[in-house]
Amino acid sequence: WLQSNCNCVTNPYNCTTGQVSYNCNCNCNCGCCVVATALTNDGEWSFDQLNDLTVWAEKNLREGLAERFHRGYHIIGPKLFIPFILRKGLLGKYFAWTFQHATDYLTGKPYNKFTVPNSWFWIGAMTVTGFFVSKRYARRTWVGMYKEIKK
């Protein structure tokens, strides 16, 4: 689901350098918004959606509880959400649906109010997970996911 010649991200935030640049013209996508990247590479999301979420995450998930949530996301996303999304079964649809509604909720976009308890559950699970993993381990998890795919 990822191209093997991936050496930068097509979204404006480059997780390797930590810089936002709108001049990247690569034909690959190996960004740090791992679930959004998987959905984009699978054709479920547009590059604009991925770009918007990546820029939002860079601005909003840097410290405090938000940063802990982001650490947990980098553990739960690659290990739970993405494998089911790629299988395209009922659970995959559930995780894609969950991710869409939770990101709408978090980023302030219109969302279905009935999805809030589900979103809170996963946001809570990711935040709690983020308290038990280091930044280094969380980064190694999502970066390692791309290295395994390139082999």
Side-chain angles (χ1 to χ4, degrees), residues 1-7 27-30 146-147 149-151:
W1 60 281
L2 290 173
Q3 297 179 14
S4 61
N5 63 346
C6 195
N7 58 11
N27 294 323
C28 61
N29 191 16
C30 55
Y146 293 117
K147 287 179 183 174
I149 292 168
K150 283 182 169 184
K151 289 181 184 177

Side-chain angles (χ1 to χ4, degrees), residues 99-141:
F99 186 77
Q100 178 65 55
H101 288 286
T103 56
D104 287 347
Y105 172 74
L106 286 171
T107 60
K109 294 180 181 171
Y111 61 91
N112 183 327
K113 307 258 186 283
F114 292 109
T115 66
V116 172
N118 184 65
S119 296
W120 282 1
F121 171 78
W122 287 107
I123 291 166
M126 290 177 186
T127 303
V128 168
T129 301
F131 276 99
F132 294 97
V133 297
S134 67
K135 269 187 183 180
R136 184 172 180 229
Y137 180 76
R139 178 172 169 70
R140 196 170 62 217
T141 298

Side-chain angles (χ1 to χ4, degrees), residues 31-53:
C32 62
C33 287
V34 292
V35 177
T37 299
L39 289 168
T40 301
N41 289 336
D42 205 34
E44 297 289 324
W45 269 36
S46 70
F47 281 107
D48 287 341
Q49 286 175 291
L50 175 62
N51 291 342
D52 290 348
L53 183 62

